[in-house]
Amino acid sequence: MEEHISRWFCACILLALLTGCANLVSPARIHERDLASRLFDIQQFHAGHPEVHAPLEVVGHGAGAFRQYPMNVFESESTVQVRGNHWPLKAAYALPVEQLIDKSFRFYQIDAVEIDVQVPPENHPLCRALGDTCAVVMHDTPDWDAIAPGSPAYQYLLENSLVNILDFVVQQGFHEKHIIYLDLKSPRKCQLTDYANDSCKRYPDLLLPILKKYVAIERHKAPTATGGASWLRLVSFSPGLLRYLHQRFEGHTPSGKALRDATSFGFIAGYSGKGFLGLKPLLAQAKGPVPELSTAMSETIAAAPYIDRIWFSVRGLESPAEEINRLASLRTVALKNNSALKPFAFSVATYDVSWQDYQSGLSALKPALTSFMIDVDTSP
């Protein structure tokens, strides 16, 4: 254990010196002033694929706001606040998620945003206040004990509950032509389980009524290029969580469509390979549990009827094009043997490698992408 910590520390110091702290975790963010031109470049890069006939869906990571999206809590001597992605020279506290979504859709004019769903412990004051809708939006799993009633962090999470945010999306009519992706943060102890453990069922059982309620809200306008009637979609690093939710997504929309077909269940491919000094697995776990995209995992996912979407990172995978090509090939074979399966929709994150490495990593990619995810920065 001490050897792992020492290796982690030394490598982080070296990487920080070589690349700068701001680029250590998530380089290649797009500043909002450059957004239009960068999106054009990305679309043009993928336009040569024979199966791409329309612009790819643009997904804003973290509500489309790298700097002001709620990452975790920040504790000082006098207060506990919710912080965004703040580096020493570019500190930022989180803004209301509704405000970030509004800017992404009205100002940036992007198609979709991704937000993260956390569930506090059952006996936490937030759950007593929110009742049976105890789910909030925050990227990392925080130190819940530090978030006490009366603190700015408590008030922020109370106001930025999942239900409040989804209500806002519907009230503003954003669901008519935009997409909300919910990144469901499986508890670490439940990451690779099949959710047979009763202690792992609280998270999905609490979320199910919320998810089904909003998935049942259909679009009234004509279907759009961003996905027809499916405006609320689910993604997770945990295949067990997706399977559990899919099995229990009974019911129909007002128009008669099965609820499980009115949404999407997407698996986020974690990492492969060991990386520099064997640190990739450690870096992957820095902000939450992330499984390895091993051969066995690829084979399981390819045969899974409860997964229809794959998100992946160029930096996360050792050979991204090769590994995604293999996964797509496995799915093609599985489709011939199982009529219950749906073809995979593939989406890639652009924000974690340089533009040159992004193009190089995907130059041999065979399946067509349906979307790509970006980090938008607003620093001076």
Side-chain angles (χ1 to χ4, degrees), residues 52-78:
V52 176
H53 303 293
L56 301 180
E57 175 188 276
V58 181
V59 184
H61 185 225
F66 168 77
R67 199 61 61 180
Q68 292 87 18
Y69 183 73
M71 290 299 294
N72 209 315
V73 295
F74 174 78
E75 300 181 50
S76 67
E77 294 181 359
S78 58

Side-chain angles (χ1 to χ4, degrees), residues 26 57 96 123 138 155 176 180 203 207 213 230 236-237 287 289 293-294 297 318 354 364 376:
S26 180
E57 175 188 276
N123 60 351
M138 177 176 280
Q155 191 59 36
E176 295 284 4
I180 304 293
Y203 182 94
L207 287 180
K213 171 188 173 181
S230 177
S236 177
F237 284 105
K287 295 183 178 181
L293 187 67
S294 61
M297 176 68 83
E318 193 76 5
S354 68
V376 182

